[in-house]
Amino acid sequence: MVTATATVPTGVRLKDKVCIVTGSSSGLGRAVALAFAAQGTHLVVCADLKYTPKSDFMAEEAGTPTEEVICRRYGEKKGIFVKTDVTVGTEVEALVQAAAKAGGRLDIMVNNAGIGGTENHGMVHEMTEETWDNVMNINSRSVFLGCKYACAQFMNQAPHESGHRGWIINTSSIMGLVGQAVYGAAYCASKGAVTLLTKQIAVEYAKHKIHCNCVCPGHLRTPMTQDQYQDREMRTAISTLTPWGDEWGAAEDVAKGYVYLASDDAAYVTGVALPIDGGYCAQ
């Protein structure tokens, strides 16, 4: 039910577009889903293993599922949840089909789900094969699957009124551009794979007017980094790596980059790995 607090979107940059955001229940994915809905989307399909936020840390309207926040703010059926294991091809395919059925088409695919916990850190000679495989499976294979089934849907539907068929935005990382000891080999390799997959798809599908870009966030205050941020020594050590200094980024600031890449403002943009990192990669 739509409550009395439902309001009109604050913008129209994504007016009437249908989008999927994976890893949408918390952190950056939640911020992206809410930012998209605020720009006039017809439907935001929120995909995750659980619809409830994994943590209240830095969470907007903590405790309320992302799709419910969207519906409260912008109207009934503006957001839906589809439980999805993004490492399983049949589930990702079903997710894309569910979005196309509910929204009439699919315009934007955000492959954001991923992991990066401290349990996956460590030097290569100390890392188990199971850790490597798990991180690559969740952070890289899932993006391949999202791109695969989104591209299939884009190719089989009429172009958007702009003449373009679809927009893919993958979540990479500054560690997908440079190496860093803090996050370890598996995480860096998995995000590096996302960056190069993004560029390859951009080149291969440009003739079909399908955009593929990725965002490379720096150190953000999200549930995924909660332990690091709340450890004063670790927070200080990471802060010194960024020209911005003692301030970590907010998910809401990074989400604005996703809005841009999904909008007509980026009509001639594809194959970009966009750092939003307080100047980290400029060093």
Side-chain angles (χ1 to χ4, degrees):
M1 297 293 292
V2 181
T3 69
T5 59
T7 186
V8 296
T10 57
V12 294
R13 297 177 75 185
L14 305 180
K15 187 176 185 299
D16 295 332
K17 288 183 177 179
V18 176
C19 58
I20 292 172
V21 180
T22 69
S24 62
S25 292
S26 61
L28 180 57
R30 182 180 178 91
V32 171
L34 296 177
F36 278 11
Q39 290 295 326
T41 49
H42 174 63
L43 175 67
V44 179
V45 179
C46 300
D48 214 319
L49 286 172
K50 296 181 179 179
Y51 65 87
T52 52
K54 67 178 66 174
S55 169
D56 289 344
F57 180 69
M58 298 292 175
E60 188 175 354
E61 295 196 36
T64 303
T66 305
E67 70 280 2
E68 289 188 19
V69 175
I70 291 171
C71 290
R72 283 183 188 178
R73 292 182 182 179
Y74 307 112
E76 188 177 1
K77 298 182 180 178
K78 286 291 185 178
I80 62 172
F81 176 79
V82 178
K83 182 180 178 180
T84 309
D85 183 338
V86 293
T87 69
V88 178
T90 54
E91 293 200 20
V92 178
E93 182 179 22
L95 167 64
V96 170
Q97 291 175 347
K101 181 178 180 180
R105 58 181 293 112
L106 176 65
D107 297 300
I108 305 164
M109 181 72 180
V110 177
N111 294 304
N112 169 74
I115 58 171
T118 55
E119 69 276 10
N120 299 314
H121 301 176
M123 300 179 73
V124 168
H125 74 281
E126 300 169 324
M127 185 173 293
T128 66
E129 294 178 29
E130 290 75 18
T131 291
W132 175 273
D133 290 342
N134 186 52
V135 175
M136 295 298 290
N137 195 36
I138 296 172
N139 287 359
S140 301
R141 174 183 166 84
S142 66
V143 176
F144 155 69
L145 292 173
C147 291
K148 171 183 171 66
Y149 290 109
C151 283
Q153 176 61 33
F154 295 155
M155 296 288 283
N156 288 322
Q157 67 186 20
H160 183 264
E161 61 182 17
S162 65
H164 295 235
R165 288 190 176 274
W167 293 258
I168 296 173
I169 309 171
N170 299 321
T171 297
S172 182
S173 168
I174 54 174
M175 271 66 81
L177 299 173
V178 298
Q180 188 189 79
V182 172
Y183 278 82
Y187 186 82
C188 290
S190 70
K191 292 301 186 178
V194 170
T195 299
L196 265 294
L197 175 63
T198 296
K199 291 178 180 289
Q200 191 280 332
I201 289 174
V203 171
E204 188 169 32
Y205 285 89
K207 62 185 177 183
H208 300 292
K209 294 295 185 288
I210 294 172
H211 301 252
C212 190
N213 296 291
C214 66
V215 174
C216 301
H219 296 286
L220 305 182
R221 306 184 299 271
T222 69
M224 193 169 77
T225 62
Q226 180 176 356
D227 291 342
Q228 294 175 348
Y229 189 78
Q230 292 180 333
D231 182 324
R232 183 173 296 276
E233 183 177 346
M234 176 68 77
R235 183 170 76 242
T236 300
I238 291 176
S239 295
T240 61
L241 300 175
T242 303
W244 217 249
D246 60 355
E247 183 179 344
W248 287 30
E252 291 74 17
D253 290 331
V254 177
K256 296 171 186 176
Y258 289 76
V259 171
Y260 162 68
L261 291 173
S263 74
D264 291 340
D265 293 337
Y268 199 53
V269 178
T270 196
V272 164
L274 176 64
I276 306 179
D277 62 356
Y280 180 92
C281 288
Q283 301 176 102

